[in-house]
Every structure is written in structure tokens, then in C-alpha cells.
């Protein structure tokens, strides 16, 4: 059987350049739709059981985050349920996977995918819980439903907003939300019952449905990077942000979490609202307390490594978290998980993955509860 | 919350005409892509929890099989896992669903869907079995993989071919195949082990991937009804048939089953190759024996109701089963399951569904084994 | 770590003679309580991970069915969920297992056990079905509940009785019943719905609770072989038979199945009521039709090998099946499954096991339905 | 059908006084075997579907902890999987359950049971993990295996000991251990991987196998309260303690947790080693830090309510935790969970239960990790 590469499925993305033999495959990472972002890939190889594959990503050096390939290992799966890391190298221009699959059909991806079907199943099962309501916020550029789950009582004194996958290729963000919702809807979880005495949770598991289905890293179906659209979103370019922002203005917001993945750093960390001009010492202190509490709640979370401090520029107000602090005066954090591994607790077989993201999502209720009680 | 109707998901299909209120919703059944076939629908309604919905399908009378709406009850689900029938009526022109959903988000469909994700998961799990090989036959019009599972030893004396979903909206066909594969790969199933001593199985769980994802009843992405393409298939119009036919010519075929759903009859039955001009008495007898054996193997199967006898026309050779008898001299049957219910064993809650189709798929190994041993 | 052998758990049974080293272990098969029956064993070995065990059963030659050890392979498990066969030999006096366990704790048994906890769970889950009622018939010698499930409508025209594990060590009998009940309570199973139109099922999954918990092969806690107590059972010696017989006299019986395992023959077969003096040609014919139908329903069932014909003796009327024919004039069969393997379809890894017994239990509904319809 | 009460199953315990009708049932709580302890009950009622039961526990006022019945609600289940609280009252002498079961067979118990089969399954599944070894410590008075799981690397610098169910009726203790082990063996749990860098865990999930199977609240098969046997245990009276103590002396101990349930207080709390004469301020501070850390790790844990301070008496050294501090100088805590509910987070449907105990067991790794890192 000859080698076949395909990507016509949910989030599939690759451009085949040439397939001479199993040992001589050249591909290009496909651009996001409507934007020049190169990073996400997800494809299937058939016909190489027990044969060593050499897959060269010829344009890896031109990726949005080329340093994301340093020390990076791609993920693979035979059943799209169990994913594992495969030997991957990067010479500054070309990234190469060398792997001998055990079965005829194998999938390779940038990170463990989170499919649109799983997204719908997450909504479906949550709505069956007496603790949650499923709400439609409107439609995306391509007409997909933008859904929100409301967990708890809307009359609760505080409002917690959690949004994920503004950047659709950062699938760890929706794994995180799945873990958080599992905890929040578990009648045996004490953090859930205590948090829900203090607050209602507005959760948008997937801010970017079109980009998710298309297999984009970063943009929606209009080519917009949603996390640069919070200042003046429009229904044409960024309805996803426009609709969520409208709802936030309606409900108010006391705590805002925007869940992401970072291509470069092998750590879990948050970026806060420090760049805001009027960020007060009290806000800074509250932010620090959350960070310290989160470290206790999960050994995967740390604050040693993260983004460098940056001065205020107008762009800051286009981003979700700083915008939330600016608009609501509230604690607002952008949580970043690695595409690579957690260097503080490396797992060579799995790297960072969906299961670890879920654990982190459950753990976040601990610092959230402490923040709500202050 | 106002009523919202959407269908931007796998196999989703509806055209909204007007939504005045929950009790006043007009829709049209959407055409198959590239063809004037009206029958399949699948959509989501949000915002009607505990509110009576009246949904009128204005163009139902113009459906491909308008008599399919007689005594038909649509299916609904809150979680796309448990489906149930809802009150549905037809006045000859308009079909109407009247239903009060228990949750905010509810899906309605023509029949219990079988998603592309589930299709891929079926292939994935089968390939992990030591009894099965997963093989790529080529690509569809839109570039999806056309996969086949080979179960058993290719050197076995006989070759059984089972294909399903030439008509993509007949999802019961892939539920049937899932049930058959579950039995065939079960080490405790005695029919599986005995059948695999006699034959190798070539199974194509989904002949029409593009139509399945698009939510077509009947056609592929070129507008072709695949079950009228077997005489002279081309890679342009019907690559799915072309590729399978090529493979059949390579392997040979001793028994051919083509799995379908029927819009009108509330029964399970087969159509044989009787219309062929040179259909021999021996072939007729063999066909009758299979039918009698199948009745014993499943009380859901019957031969009292079915298609009327038809004289030979050239069109007969364009259809999968007669073509197989013509080309290979073998027993070839088109199996039909109802979209409605089995009138011999009605289940008002579920009607005919995926679970019953799976049972039938497991049961078919019994008449197959008897045929193989003759 | 030194080798330890223990059996203080449900159905555990062994007598340790000496444990010199992993390679030098002598045991005796323990007697049934209150009877001189030697056959069932079930014990745990700890401390032999990656070490070859040689376990000699010194009194194997004195077993109730010493020819049961010919071509017999014992079963083992690390988790009591997955059981597999291990190399076992018999020299006419001593039976020897030679096996190198992969884990520190390993269980060995005569056949895949069916625990009292699983029995209770089977009753529990069945009672949750709207199709079944759970009924108490009374108490065993040691005060355990003797339960029956009534499946279907007691006003149905015919009464089917199925009893299992009169001989408690024949655990395949309760696996069979679990498979039959799973089918009978499955709303998608057409045999279930058709059978329940014709008949109500009285099912006693475990006729011998005390013997099951004690790890007896054959007897109850009074030392009685229940299948020799049907003529004049008493509440002292065989309350299990007494209570069931009373209930049968109350309900009547149109078809009686008594499920067993056979120590010697590597086949599935039935024994009928041929030995009865007044067994009529009509009854014989009905019995033959059931046998022929069962062969079609399951390739695991056969009639070539079985018990030889035997003349009538008074003992015949002490056995469940002949007694039922005698008392009710009905078709009554003793079904036997192998402790060894099915020689017609050998599986060297598993031999005959729980999963295959369950399949057979589901398959029996096919000949039952045909008998009910006659 | 008449009412039947039975208890011949794992941990079953009740004495029936009289059953006049469903509304008039008198029972006595059975004593622990070989000891005058009255508290644990677990029995099955059959024949009362849709009928109001009134069950009076005539000797409740003579229970070991009669104030345990104040504000106590008994648990019930139809399938021994889902347990729920039922209306229960206590007048100082007689405790009364009034409940109308939905099904014919219903179980009532003092607390959600944890069966010996589940215990064995816990060991079985743990031994399949590459992180755990299953070890036999010896045998109980009645010959059951006393097993320990070693999780992690025995060469790790610190040794954590966790023991549970010295008092066998305190089944929440083994649910706690199941939750802790699930976390500890989960490759995605960051507390597990961090803890296992610092320490090896010696876990005895069930210290009192005989009492567990017999349905004792407090004692083993020799009538010993194991938590009063740590000073000079003997193989005759308390082999369970003798064997564990020997192993602890062999391995050493840096942190000791002894898991219990408390009949009276509706809170989760710990008792420390404060009563020891030579308890140092440093030890006290370490104990306080653990308590504060545990409060953060689980909102179910608190320190406001607990046992009053008690002066040293020789009995103190007979108890597991103080003995461990005395012998090893280490932090040692007796963790108590309620039989009733957590009054800080009441759940009228479930009260405190197995699922909440499991969550607490997973959460304990957080204060353990912080203690290990100090
Ligand atoms: Ca991002
Ligand atoms: Ca069709
Ligand atoms: Ca027998
Ligand atoms: Ca205690």
C-alpha cells in the first residue's frame, strides 16, 4: 500500500508538497483561513504500518512562532483517543518527525485536538445537569452557534466569566474548561458547592467555533485574531467577541479568566493586567494573591517564567483580560498552558496534554474560591 | 430567550422560512447538494425549554418520497445520544412536529444520525483489533478518505462484501455495519469465528462520505446517486463506486450485501437480483434460502412486504446488488430498514433506531454463515 | 517475598499441603462442605511475580470427575476480570499447573468465577428494568435469599422456567443467565420482544447460593446434590428445590431449562427427558426440533457429542429436567457447557469462558421463540 | 408478597425482632462479633415496593455512640451503587426509619458500604499500575490477606504511611483511600508526580478485613479494637496491627495518616498527637501547618469542631497516630469524616458519602506535599 496523507476532517490542516516514499515526505503547514498564520497542523497518514516515516515540515521556519518548534515533540494517535509524543526535531528552517507507526492509519497533530463534536457533547451533557443552563449568545461569521453555559444562580452576588479558545488551535483551553465544568457540576466537589454560594459562572467553552472547525491556530473565519478585538468589536469582523462583550456588560464581571496555550514557553503561567495605565496597587495585590493561591492549588502552575513586563500601548485594550480589568475593574487573567511540556514536571510520553489541562481546570476553583471570599 | 434554529454541524440540514414564535415556525427541507432531492433534515432548536414548538415543514409534499411522511414520527434528542420519537403529522403537503422540549437545546432529525466523527472512531477501534486491517481505497470528490476494513484472512476461500450508506442519509445502514463489525471482531462470538474460517469480509462502512457530512439523503458531492453508477462509474462523478468496483474485481466476490434504509415501508426486507435477465433458478433458490435463514436469525426481518417485482431495464445493471450478481454470479442483496418503525414489532418511543439496526447487523452473520457453508 | 497461598474470599477453596518454594508447591483440592466431592478450586498466590510456579494438585486423581483433568487447562487472572488459561497437565493422579505470573498477586480457579456480589448486582440491575420483577422465594439452609426474576407479563399464555447453578461450581450457568437476561431486557432485541408476547420468564439465576459462596462444586450447605432432590424435596435438606418446585406448581411450566457445566466433554449439548418411561414420540419430536433450532442459533451448540442414552431408573425423577417433563408434560432440557473448551471452535487463550456463556445465553432465545410459537 | 428482612451477605448485620407488617417492623442492631459494640447495620428488605415501611431499631439507645443517632439519616439503595438518605428519627431510645421504597428489594445501611469484593478489586487494579506494588503483610485472625500497596520508589527520602478501616464499619475510610490512590496513580495528577519525587507511600486500604466482612463497627475477629492495640500488639489478638507495626519499624515513617469516621460530629477534622507528654512545640507547629494547608486544599476540612483536648494517659500510646509520633517523632494524624453530613455544606440527598470521601482522599495530597517539602 502506498503512503496517503489526508486532512479532510474536523480541524484537519496540512499542505502536501511531495510524497516520494515513507522516508521522504515533504509537507507545508497550511495557513489559517483568511490570515497569514502558520502553526497548526493535523493530518492522517495511511499505509505506513511498521515503516519509518520521515515527514519534513518545509515551511516550519516561517511559522507564527518558529521558536515554538525548539524542543517541541509532535503528538500522534492511532485512535484519536490516546495521544503520545513522537520524535521531532527542528533545524531552524525545517521541522522533521521521524516515527514508525504501529498501525496503518495514524494521525499527527500540533496538540491533542478537541473536536466540534466533543464541544457539542460537552454542552449537551452540561445542560442535563440541574446546575447548568445552556444559552445561545448568537452566531459566528459562518453561522455556528456561540454557546455559553451558566452554572449556578444568576442572582449570586458575584459573576465569574471564563472564556476559552479565542485562539482556536489552543485546544488545551477547551480541555481546561471541560475539567473545570466537570468539577463545577460534580455534587461531591466541595469547591463547586462553595464557589456556587458566592458566584455564578458564565462559561464560554469555545469562543472561536469557525476557526476550530477550520483548523486555524489563531483567527476566526473573517481572519480576525479575536484577542485583539475587544476594544471595538463588530458583528462583521468579530461577532464572537461582540456578543460576549455585550453579555458581560449586561451581567457585570467580578473575575475574568481567558484560557490560552503558549507556543514557546514550557510552563503554565498567567499574564495579568499590569500594562494598564491605571492598574492600582490594590489590583496588583489581588492579582498576586490569586497567583500565590493558584501555585498552592496546582504544582503545575508557576510564576517564575512568563511574559516580560510591557508598557501600555493602545493594543492592550484590545485584549480580553486587560479589557475586562479596564471595563469592570476586576481581576482578569490570561492563563497560558504549554504546547510542549511542563518543564517542571516533564512527561516524555505525553508532554502537556488534554488530561493535564483538565486537572488544571478543576484545580482553578481553589484560587477562584479564595478570591471570591475576599 | 427567543427561538433559534441552526444546522451548522455535521449532517445539519434545514432552511428556515420564518420563526414568528415557538408555536409558529416554518421551515423547508433543504435539497441535497447538487441535486433536487428533498428528504433529510437535522437541526437544532434553542430557546424553547418547556414551550410547545410547532414546526411546519412547508415543502414536505415535494419530498423525494412524500409518502415517507405517512405514519412517520420525527426523532429528537437533547444530547444526540438518546433519541426518541416526537409527535409528527402530515396532511399531504405540510409535515408538522408538535413537541415541548424539556431542555433549552434540542435536536430534531429525520433519523438517528451517524456522524463522521463516529465513522472515524469506528475505523480507529476496528484497526486496533488483530482480526482487522484498515485500508484506504482512495478519495471522494471532496477529498475525504474512502476506507475499507478487511476482517479475516484474505486467503480464505470465500469473499464477502458488505457496503453501506451509498445513500448517505440512510444512517441506519452504518449503525447496521457497526453492529456487524462488533460481532465479527468479538472473540466470544461463535458466528464470527465460524464465518472467518470460511471467508474474508470486505466492509465499506460508509460509501458516501461527502454526502454524509453534507447532510444529503441520496447523493454525493457531484450530485450522483451512487446506486445508479455501478455500470460505468467514473472517477469524476462517482469515485466512491469506481474505487470499490475496482477492488471487487481484484478480490472477487461470493456474497454481496448493500445496506440501505427505505423511506416508505415500515419493515425490514431485502431486494434481490430477480430483475436480471439471466437470473437462474439456482440463484433464485439460493436467494430464497438466505431470506428464510435471515427470518430465523432475526424476528425483525421479513419477506411479506417489499418492493414489487420489476422487469429488466438497463437501469438494473447500474445498481450495486444486481450488478454484483451480474458481474460475479453471486448472491447479492439490497437490505432495507425502515425510517419509520417495524410494524411487526412497533416501539412507539423509539421506532426503528440505531440500536435495533446494530442488532440486525450482528444477526446477519447467521444467514451469511449458512450461505457460506453451502 | 515468600510465596503465600490464600482462599479466604467468596468461593475460595484449596488446602495447602506444602510450599517449599515457587517451584515446589503441593495442594489438595478441598472437599465440598458436607460432602465428599472434590473438584472446584479457587485460590490466590502472592509473591511469585516473574517466577515460575509449579503447583501440584496431589489429590486430583480422586476428584469427582477425574477425567475432567484430561486436556484441561486451569484459568488464571491478575484482576479477576480478565481470565486466561494456563499450562496444566494431568498424569492420572496429580494435576500440575506451571505458570510464571506477571504480577505479584494472581488468582487460579477451576473456571471463571461468578461471585455472590455479581449475583446481587445482576438482581439489582434487573429490578430497575420495567420489564422485570424481583421476587423472593424463601431462604437457603444458611439463610441466604433465594431470588427469582419474573420477566414479562404473568398473564402471558406460556410459562418459561430457566434455572441455573443447581451445581454451584458450574459458574458458566450464571454467566449464561446473565447473557440471557441482558438480551431479554434489551428493548432493541427482537427475540426479547417476540418471546415476551408469547410467554413470561421465571428465571432463578442461582439455585444454590450457599454452595456458591462456600466454593462447592456440587452441593448445598446440607450436602445435598440439588439435581437429585426434585422428587421429594424437603425444607431441611433442599429448601432451594422445594421452594422452586412449589412456585412451579403454582405457575405451571411450558418450557424448562436447567443450566449446567460438564467437567468432561469439551462441547455444548443438552440432555433431554428420553429416559422417562412415558416419553412420547411427540415429546421426542419437540425436543429434537429445539435441538435443531438451537444448532442454527449458535454454532457453539451441537448434538453429536453428549450423554449416552440411559434406561429409566427411579433416580431419573429426582433430576430437574426429567421431573419437569414428568410433572408438566413440557419440553425440559439440561444444558451443559464445558469447563474445558469447545473442541469445535477451540480458543487456546480463553477456552470456554464467561463471555462465550453469555453469548449462548442470548442465543437461546431463538430456539425458545420457535418452540413458543409451535 | 410479605415483608422479608435478610442480611446474609458481605457486611450484612441486623437482628429481626418482629415483622408484623410493612408499617410495624422491630429490629435490633446486632453486636460486633466477640464484642459488645452496637452501631453498624446493613440489611435488605424485600416485598415492600410502594409500601410505607416503618422500621424501629429498638436497641438504638444502647448503641456504642447513641448520640450518633441525633440528626442522623440512614442510607438506602436499590442497586447498592446509588445510595441516598432516608427519613430517620431518634427519640433517645428507639431509632425509626420511615421510607416507601420504589422497588421490591431495598438495602438499608448505617453508611455506604465498601465491600470486600471492591477491596480486592482496588488492590487488583492498583497492581496493574507501573507505579504500585501489591504486598502481603500476613494474615488476619480468620486467615484473610492483609495487603499493602507501595506507591512510588522505596528509595525515596521520605516514607508516608496511610492506613484505613482499623474500625471496619467506618467505610468512608476506604472510600477515602480509593480516592487518594486514584489520584496517586493518575499520570496527569501533578500532586502525585510531585509527592512521588519526595516520598514513597505505604498504603493499607483495609486494616480490619475480618471485621469488614463480618459487618463489625469497631472490632476484629478476636474482639479487639485495633486502635487500642498499638502499644503491644500480639499475633493472637491483633495480628493486623502487629504486622503493620513491624513493617513500619522496618521502613521508618515520616508522616502517618490513620483514616476514620466519627459517629457524632457532622464535620471533617483531625485529631493529632497533642496528648503525648513529650509533644514538642515544633511538632505542634508542624501539625498546625498541615491543618491550615488541608483547609485550603478542601473546603470540606475544618478545625473549628473536633475532639476536646485530653491529658496523657497510658491509653494514648495504644492508638495508631500518637503511637506513630511517639515511635518515629513524625507528624501523625487521625482523620475523621462524618457518618452524618458535613454541616458546613449539607447535602440532604446524600449526606456525607463515598464520593465525597474520595474527593477528600484526592485532596489530601496537597497538604501532604507541602509537609514533605518542609
Ligand atoms: Ca493564545
Ligand atoms: Ca436507499
Ligand atoms: Ca452439572
Ligand atoms: Ca473511628
Amino acid at each position: 500500500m502506498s503512503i496517503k496523507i489526508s486532512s479532510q476532517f474536523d480541524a484537519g490542516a496540512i499542505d502536501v508538497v511531495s510524497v516520494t516514499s515513507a522516508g521522504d515526505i515533504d509537507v507545508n503547514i497550511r495557513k489559517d483561513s483568511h490570515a497569514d498564520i502558520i502553526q497548526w497542523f493535523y493530518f492522517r497518514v495511511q499505509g505506513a504500518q511498521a515503516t519509518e516515516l520521515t515527514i519534513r515540515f518545509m515551511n516550519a521556519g516561517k511559522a507564527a512562532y518558529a521558536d515554538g518548534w525548539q524542543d517541541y515533540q509532535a503528538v500522534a494517535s492511532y485512535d484519536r483517543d490516546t495521544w503520545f509524543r513522537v520524535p521531532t526535531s527542528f533545524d531552524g528552517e525545517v521541522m522533521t518527525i521521524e516515527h514508525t507507526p504501529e498501525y496503518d492509519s495514524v494521525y499527527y497533530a500540533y496538540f491533542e485536538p478537541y473536536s466540534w463534536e466533543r464541544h457539542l457533547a460537552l454542552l449537551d451533557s452540561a445542560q442535563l445537569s440541574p446546575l447548568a443552563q445552556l444559552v445561545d449568545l448568537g452566531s459566528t461569521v459562518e453561522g455556528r452557534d456561540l454557546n455559553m453555559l451558566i452554572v449556578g444562580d444568576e442572582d449570586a452576588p458575584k459573576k465569574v466569566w471564563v472564556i476559552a479558545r479565542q485562539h482556536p488551535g489552543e485546544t488545551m483551553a477547551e480541555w481546561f474548561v471541560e475539567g473545570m465544568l466537570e468539577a463545577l457540576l460534580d455534587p461531591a466537589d466541595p469547591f463547586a458547592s462553595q464557589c456556587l454560594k458566592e458566584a455564578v459562572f458564565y462559561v464560554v467553552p469555545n469562543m472561536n467555533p469557525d476557526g476550530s472547525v477550520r483548523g486555524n491556530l489563531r483567527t476566526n473565519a473573517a481572519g480576525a485574531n479575536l484577542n485583539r478585538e475587544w476594544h471595538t468589536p463588530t458583528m462583521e469582523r468579530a461577532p464572537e467577541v461582540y456578543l460576549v462583550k455585550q453579555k458581560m456588560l449586561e451581567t457585570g464581571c467580578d473575575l475574568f479568566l481567558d484560557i490560552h496555550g503558549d507556543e514557546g514557553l514550557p510552563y503554565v503561567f498567567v499574564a495579568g493586567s499590569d500594562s494598564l495605565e491605571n492598574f492600582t496597587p490594590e489590583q496588583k495585590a489581588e492579582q498576586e494573591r490569586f497567583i500565590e493561591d493558584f501555585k498552592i492549588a496546582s504544582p503545575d502552575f508557576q510564576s517564575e517564567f512568563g511574559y516580560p513586563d510591557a508598557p501600555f500601548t493602545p493594543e492592550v485594550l484590545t485584549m480580553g483580560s486587560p479589557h475586562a480589568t479596564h471595563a469592570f475593574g476586576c481581576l482578569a487573567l490570561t492563563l497560558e498552558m504549554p504546547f510542549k511540556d511542563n518543564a517542571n514536571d516533564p512527561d516524555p510520553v505525553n508532554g502537556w496534554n488534554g488530561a493535564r489541562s483538565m486537572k488544571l481546570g478543576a484545580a482553578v476553583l481553589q484560587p477562584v474560591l479564595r478570591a471570591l471570599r475576599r
Side-chain angles (χ1 to χ4, degrees), chain A:
Chain A
M1 196 170 150
S2 60
I3 302 297
K4 181 184 181 186
I5 296 179
S6 58
S7 59
Q8 252 292 37
F9 45 79
D10 184 287
I14 202 67
D15 288 333
V16 177
V17 176
S18 66
V19 180
T20 312
S21 67
D24 187 12
I25 298 171
D26 289 358
V27 298
N28 274 328
I29 302 174
R30 202 212 57 187
K31 286 181 192 176
D32 277 19
S33 64
H34 315 92
D36 277 336
I37 305 281
I38 284 173
Q39 197 92 18
W40 174 264
F41 58 89
Y42 181 15
F43 56 94
R44 184 190 196 192
V45 178
Q46 293 186 79
Q49 186 173 21
T51 308
E52 187 172 10
L53 287 170
T54 301
I55 307 172
R56 283 182 298 270
F57 295 74
M58 304 309 287
N59 64 347
K62 302 196 180 76
Y65 304 88
D67 58 351
W69 310 129
Q70 299 292 358
D71 302 319
Y72 165 78
Q73 309 296 313
V75 300
S77 178
Y78 303 117
D79 61 4
R80 297 172 315 131
D81 185 31
T82 301
W83 291 84
F84 50 91
R85 301 277 170 168
V86 289
T88 310
S89 60
F90 180 57
D91 67 7
E93 291 199 16
V94 173
M95 178 171 73
T96 305
I97 293 175
E98 290 176 298
H99 178 234
T100 303
E102 292 176 40
Y103 294 94
D104 199 80
S105 166
V106 56
Y107 293 83
Y108 297 98
Y110 183 28
F111 192 81
E112 186 175 349
Y114 195 104
S115 72
W116 188 245
E117 281 291 314
R118 189 175 188 108
H119 167 76
L120 294 176
L122 177 67
L123 300 178
D124 289 341
S125 75
Q127 89 162 338
L128 301 186
S129 163
L131 294 171
Q133 293 173 63
L134 178 52
V135 170
D136 184 71
L137 294 173
S139 299
T140 66
V141 171
E142 296 189 315
R144 289 188 179 84
D145 299 325
L146 187 69
N147 278 113
M148 175 170 74
L149 289 160
I150 305 178
V151 183
D153 179 356
E154 288 208 70
D155 293 332
K158 293 193 179 163
K159 320 294 175 188
V160 176
W161 274 85
V162 182
I163 68 170
R165 282 184 95 176
Q166 289 201 75
H167 297 151
E170 297 166 12
T171 53
M172 58 286 279
E174 195 159 4
W175 287 109
F176 175 99
V177 166
E178 182 171 321
M180 188 191 74
L181 285 170
E182 191 175 283
L184 216 40
L185 301 176
D186 180 350
D189 192 300
F191 285 107
S193 57
Q194 297 299 333
C195 281
L196 294 176
K197 284 177 189 168
E198 311 283 345
V200 59
F201 285 70
Y202 297 101
V203 183
V204 185
N206 188 330
M207 285 290 293
N208 199 332
D210 297 346
S212 297
V213 174
R214 285 175 170 276
N216 287 353
L217 176 75
R218 181 146 284 236
T219 58
N220 74 354
N225 173 345
L226 296 183
N227 205 26
R228 295 298 180 278
E229 297 287 336
W230 286 78
H231 190 262
T232 48
T234 67
M235 279 301 286
E236 289 67 40
R237 181 165 170 78
E240 301 87 353
V241 173
Y242 180 89
L243 292 162
V244 168
K245 188 174 169 180
Q246 287 306 111
K247 190 73 186 176
M248 286 177 71
L249 289 169
E250 199 181 289
T251 64
C253 181
D254 297 286
L255 173 54
F256 181 85
L257 298 176
D258 180 17
I259 316 302
H260 283 254
D262 185 83
E263 293 78 6
L265 290 172
Y267 298 104
V268 178
F269 59 97
V270 288
S273 298
D274 309 67
S275 299
L276 287 177
E277 286 177 304
N278 51 356
F279 196 56
T280 67
E282 290 72 25
Q283 288 175 323
K284 176 69 177 174
E286 191 187 8
Q287 185 174 293
E288 286 307 309
R289 280 194 299 260
F290 189 95
I291 288 169
E292 291 310 307
D293 288 344
F294 204 174
K295 281 189 215 170
I296 294 170
S298 174
D300 275 331
F301 183 76
Q302 58 82 55
S303 64
E304 188 179 351
F305 302 93
Y307 297 146
D309 285 347
F312 178 78
T313 64
E315 191 186 37
V316 167
L317 291 178
T318 67
M319 297 164 71
S321 290
H323 184 85
T325 297
H326 175 76
F328 299 99
C330 70
L331 176 61
L333 296 164
T334 306
L335 175 69
E336 301 282 349
M337 289 170 279
F339 277 89
K340 298 174 178 173
D341 199 347
N342 175 0
N344 286 333
D345 191 3
D347 176 343
V349 174
N350 299 301
W352 190 258
N353 66 1
R356 297 173 83 179
S357 306
M358 287 181 68
K359 287 273 171 200
L360 191 71
V364 83
L365 296 183
Q366 184 171 320
V368 166
L369 178 60
R370 290 175 69 83
L372 290 172
R373 285 181 168 171
R374 276 192 285 261

